[in-house]
Amino acid sequence: MNVIDPSKREIWRRFVQEGTLDQARISKRIEESWYLCRQKNVDPYDGKGKMFLTGRLLMERRERNQRLLRCGVPILEKLQQLFQEIPAIFLFIDKEGYVLWAKGHQQAMKKAKEINFLEGVKWTEEEVGTNAIGTALRTREPIAVVGLDHYAVASQQWVCSAAPIYDENKEFLGIIDMSYPIYHGLSDAQDYVLATIVAASYTIEQQLRIQQKENLLELFRHGFQMEDSASYSVVCDDQENIVWANHRLRSFCSSTIDQPLQQFCQRTWKVFSKVPIFSSVYGHLIGYKVTLQKAQDEEAFSCSLPSFRFDGVIGTSPSFAAVLRSCSKVAKTDATVYLAGETGTGKELIARAIHQNSLRKDGPFVAVNCGAVPKELIGSELFGYVEGAFTGAKRTGYMGKFVQAHGGTLFLDEIGEIPLEMQVALLRVLQEREVVPIGGTKPISVDVRVITATHRDLYELVKKGKLREDLFYRLHVYPIKLPALRERKEDIPFFVDYYCRKNGWNVCLPNSVMNLLMDYYWPGNIRELFNVLERMRIEYGEAVPPISEIKSMLVALKNDEKGRGELTYREQVEKEQMMNMLEETKGNISKMAELLGISRSTCYRKLKKYKLI
């Protein structure tokens, strides 16, 4: 049995016939809508849907709104289960008022069909009169429209509750709605239903934000793979806004990110190729990999290597030249830099070079290998501690690395090794620029430029929950990817020459030896190359090692690399530290143990563990 208020029926009748309205008996939003419907000549005695999208047109519109549907439909399906006792219908409507998706109770769906309240219909105020969907579309506010609040008779047997949905950029996307026929016991439920619909719209908006961040991380990964490309490359989101530019492009253009591709290109660049990127999780389009070429001659935009002091090997490779260009640009700023690259690619050397070419060059450069510091000590190492903070603490306390680097640069190598519980404290220091030592209460202001580095994939760490997302964005301000040695093999002769000059090794390696070194994969990169040269120098002095012996060394390196793969990162760092100490002490175990701060028996045990004796 329907519940209709006779007094409201009279208010509606007088308005549609005479245009007069008792404002005290009707809400402001309904009043506005009724006047609008009268102005637009909406038939109050009809109100059935008339304008439809069907077939291909409806499919295309759903495709354009697939992100909204993918996040929202599961939530509406859960609401349907929650309200299964109510014969209701749940709907998704796009920002132009077309119903993209409708599902619900069989009885409600049958009744909705009688007034053409179906998928594909346009359900706006101008089309069908005052209704929750159309009024929410116009006002962009949640609203419930009950019974005779509807302007046209077709909808007056319904209670409808609708709420708008916005994306992460506050752009209006569409409407969700729950509608059900008026029955005994249901007419007073609209406040609870509307609150639930509003909560559902908020949940969908949160899902959209989460998915957008996941998509951005995936786009970053694609961009990272293009860093060493010889072409000018960018990655765009699905709206063709640039989110990533590779080194070569950044070396010519300092401002590329966060602008539309078309605006960036203008007359200077043109699109050579555009490859779509699809989500590896959901399968939908999330962006594009775009290769650009200059609209004018290469010479008009040629850029020589910047005047940049660098104490390492430069060589002739374009990939490393692009790195130095990026370093030259960022050194003039105070921006946080993130250095990505495999172990042994020279990340600390690059960090020092950025510091030496910055306005902070007269301040301290403090480096910390976060992977070499025990997890339980990383807090005191970075932030320091006060006297008596814990058992074994120095009487005078300890000035942490942040304070030590005040006025200069702090280089945090292997940032991915910092435990989660310390990431919160690190984030706070980066945001507030204040350090509170362990056991202390008084904050210490620090003026520090932070450079971080890792050999790990930070995007994967974020996805796996091992790195806080807010910390990722705080550190990932200006990323620079260092090429692996195998990606700059033309520079190997320069590294050999550098090693020989630095160590006074007067040997001339023939082309056959140089070609052998250039053909090797070098998983340990520059550090591994220098280790091989060191062995050659120790064993053969000024003589040229036989080719067979060098091949044996490289085979042994491959076997050693397999063994390294079975160790954790911290074990690999410890093994490398012990190898260096073993060489420094010339095999003196007692002296080695003393320098490492461990007992002689522990030193023996670790040497056996890593098969160094």
Side-chain angles (χ1 to χ4, degrees):
M1 179 178 176
N2 297 341
V3 178
I4 298 294
D5 183 352
S7 62
K8 213 165 196 179
R9 170 72 72 184
E10 179 60 21
I11 293 171
W12 175 83
R13 186 195 64 77
R14 288 190 62 190
F15 181 80
V16 299
Q17 291 180 2
E18 303 170 12
T20 59
L21 186 61
D22 184 354
Q23 297 178 346
R25 302 294 300 276
I26 194 167
S27 74
K28 182 181 178 181
R29 285 296 184 220
I30 299 300
E31 175 192 339
E32 291 173 354
S33 181
W34 280 16
Y35 276 113
L36 176 67
C37 293
R38 189 177 179 87
Q39 181 185 350
K40 296 292 184 180
N41 297 316
V42 177
D43 186 354
Y45 300 103
D46 187 6
K48 293 182 180 180
K50 295 180 178 64
M51 188 170 180
F52 281 88
L53 293 176
T54 57
R56 182 176 58 83
L57 292 177
L58 178 57
M59 188 180 301
E60 287 177 354
R61 192 165 286 260
R62 283 173 176 159
E63 185 69 22
R64 289 200 297 271
N65 291 273
Q66 60 174 317
R67 182 170 172 243
L68 176 62
L69 292 172
R70 185 175 292 106
C71 287
V73 166
I75 293 170
L76 287 194
E77 288 177 336
K78 289 181 181 178
L79 283 188
Q80 186 182 359
Q81 296 174 5
L82 179 64
F83 290 100
Q84 58 184 331
E85 299 301 322
I86 299 178
I89 179 173
F90 298 83
L91 307 100
F92 250 113
I93 301 91
D94 73 4
K95 59 185 178 182
E96 293 175 355
Y98 288 98
V99 176
L100 303 177
W101 180 90
K103 188 176 180 181
H105 193 281
Q106 185 177 359
Q107 182 180 344
M109 294 291 284
K110 182 179 179 181
K111 192 168 182 64
K113 189 176 181 181
E114 294 174 2
I115 60 172
N116 298 329
F117 194 24
L118 306 167
E119 289 183 350
V121 70
K122 189 173 187 180
W123 208 258
T124 61
E125 290 175 317
E126 292 85 348
E127 290 294 324
V128 298
T130 304
N131 68 91
I133 293 170
T135 306
L137 279 167
R138 177 174 57 84
T139 64
R140 308 290 168 85
E141 297 174 354
I143 191 170
V145 179
V146 183
L148 286 166
D149 285 344
H150 291 90
Y151 183 76
V153 295
S155 299
Q156 287 179 353
Q157 302 295 318
W158 291 81
V159 176
C160 305
S161 299
I165 297 172
Y166 294 85
D167 69 7
E168 58 279 354
N169 299 316
K170 303 300 181 183
E171 182 180 340
F172 176 67
L173 297 180
I175 297 287
I176 58 170
D177 175 86
M178 174 181 170
S179 297
Y180 55 89
I182 297 177
Y183 288 96
H184 276 302
L186 297 179
S187 58
D188 296 328
Q190 63 264 20
D191 290 341
Y192 169 68
V193 171
L194 180 60
T196 305
I197 290 297
V198 171
S201 71
Y202 176 78
T203 303
I204 294 169
E205 288 173 350
Q206 293 300 106
Q207 287 295 112
L208 287 166
R209 289 183 177 88
I210 292 170
Q211 189 182 100
Q212 191 266 346
K213 290 178 180 178
E214 290 176 349
N215 292 344
L216 190 59
L217 284 172
E218 190 160 355
L219 291 175
F220 279 168
R221 187 179 299 107
H222 281 276
F224 216 54
Q225 294 167 356
M226 299 163 62
E227 276 296 278
D228 298 327
S229 172
S231 60
Y232 302 101
S233 303
V234 297
V235 173
C236 301
D237 63 17
D238 58 341
Q239 301 301 310
E240 296 196 9
N241 295 311
I242 298 174
V243 299
W244 186 285
N246 73 342
H247 279 307
R248 193 177 186 204
L249 184 61
R250 288 203 303 268
S251 68
F252 284 91
C253 309
S254 58
S255 177
T256 56
I257 311 301
D258 291 333
Q259 60 177 304
L261 177 65
Q262 186 176 6
Q263 177 183 317
F264 171 73
C265 288
Q266 294 182 348
R267 298 180 181 180
T268 306
W269 303 89
K270 60 182 180 179
V271 175
F272 179 75
S273 67
K274 187 167 74 171
V275 179
I277 301 172
F278 297 94
S279 168
S280 61
V281 178
Y282 305 104
H284 65 284
L285 178 74
I286 60 173
Y288 302 90
K289 289 189 286 189
V290 182
T291 302
L292 303 173
Q293 65 181 41
K294 295 173 186 171
Q296 303 179 26
D297 292 336
E298 179 83 15
E299 290 74 23
F301 294 88
S302 63
C303 180
S304 59
L305 275 174
S307 175
F308 184 77
R309 178 189 168 194
F310 179 68
D311 296 329
V313 174
I314 294 177
T316 60
S317 62
S319 60
F320 193 69
V323 168
L324 292 185
R325 289 192 188 98
S326 295
C327 291
S328 176
K329 291 178 188 234
V330 78
K332 300 169 187 175
T333 74
D334 240 354
T336 301
V337 179
Y338 165 65
L339 303 177
E342 298 175 5
T343 299
T345 49
K347 295 187 286 293
E348 183 171 343
L349 197 60
I350 287 291
R352 286 184 181 277
I354 292 173
H355 170 74
Q356 289 166 356
N357 288 271
S358 73
L359 295 176
R360 296 175 175 271
K361 61 185 178 182
D362 296 326
F365 176 87
V366 178
V368 182
N369 188 325
C370 301
V373 180
K375 291 182 179 181
E376 59 272 20
L377 298 180
I378 190 71
S380 58
E381 183 71 11
L382 294 179
F383 314 129
Y385 56 82
V386 298
E387 179 183 355
F390 49 84
T391 304
K394 294 180 180 178
R395 288 185 179 179
T396 56
Y398 175 74
M399 188 169 59
K401 299 299 184 184
F402 269 96
V403 177
Q404 292 177 33
H406 181 71
T409 301
L410 177 63
F411 174 55
L412 300 176
D413 198 7
E414 297 307 337
I415 190 68
E417 302 300 322
I418 288 188
L420 275 172
E421 56 269 25
M422 275 296 108
Q423 292 179 21
V424 179
L426 177 58
L427 181 64
R428 189 179 301 117
V429 173
L430 294 175
Q431 289 173 338
E432 305 298 334
R433 296 293 166 173
E434 288 183 339
V435 173
V436 178
I438 293 174
T441 56
K442 185 178 179 182
I444 302 172
S445 296
V446 288
D447 174 24
V448 176
R449 197 256 185 88
V450 176
I451 301 176
T452 62
T454 184
H455 74 291
R456 303 179 69 178
D457 186 340
L458 285 190
Y459 312 117
E460 281 299 319
L461 292 179
V462 172
K463 287 193 72 174
K464 292 177 180 178
K466 295 182 179 179
L467 181 71
R468 291 176 59 94
E469 188 176 33
D470 45 5
L471 180 58
F472 169 85
Y473 287 114
R474 178 67 64 172
L475 299 176
H476 205 268
V477 177
Y478 192 90
I480 299 176
K481 185 176 184 297
L482 275 62
L485 184 56
R486 58 185 171 278
E487 296 167 337
R488 52 181 298 206
K489 286 190 173 182
E490 61 266 53
D491 294 342
I492 287 179
F494 294 90
F495 281 111
V496 173
D497 179 66
Y498 172 84
Y499 177 85
C500 291
R501 285 186 287 105
K502 183 180 178 182
N503 293 279
W505 190 26
N506 298 316
V507 65
C508 182
L509 298 179
N511 289 338
S512 57
V513 173
M514 201 63 74
N515 289 337
L516 190 62
L517 295 178
M518 292 179 70
D519 286 340
Y520 182 62
Y521 188 70
W522 298 113
N525 293 291
I526 301 165
R527 185 180 298 140
E528 185 179 25
L529 171 64
F530 285 167
N531 286 345
V532 168
L533 295 174
E534 181 75 1
R535 293 179 194 179
M536 290 166 59
R537 183 173 71 91
I538 292 172
E539 293 185 20
Y540 293 93
E542 305 293 324
V544 176
I547 290 290
S548 59
E549 287 297 318
I550 298 175
K551 286 182 178 179
S552 297
M553 285 184 187
L554 298 181
V555 169
L557 282 175
K558 283 184 179 179
N559 294 334
D560 185 53
E561 188 64 24
K562 291 178 183 178
R564 282 174 61 87
E566 298 170 3
L567 301 175
T568 66
Y569 176 74
R570 291 181 183 276
E571 288 173 332
Q572 291 175 18
V573 169
E574 186 176 58
K575 179 179 178 181
E576 202 163 287
Q577 183 183 26
M578 297 200 75
M579 287 171 64
N580 294 334
M581 195 63 70
L582 197 63
E583 183 177 335
E584 183 179 328
T585 60
K586 297 184 174 16
N588 187 324
I589 307 299
S590 298
K591 188 175 181 181
M592 180 179 176
E594 182 183 346
L595 292 173
L596 289 172
I598 58 178
S599 67
R600 198 166 184 271
S601 60
T602 300
C603 188
Y604 266 114
R605 179 173 55 79
K606 289 182 179 291
L607 287 170
K608 288 180 179 179
K609 174 184 176 181
Y610 299 126
K611 301 177 181 177
L612 297 177
I613 56 173

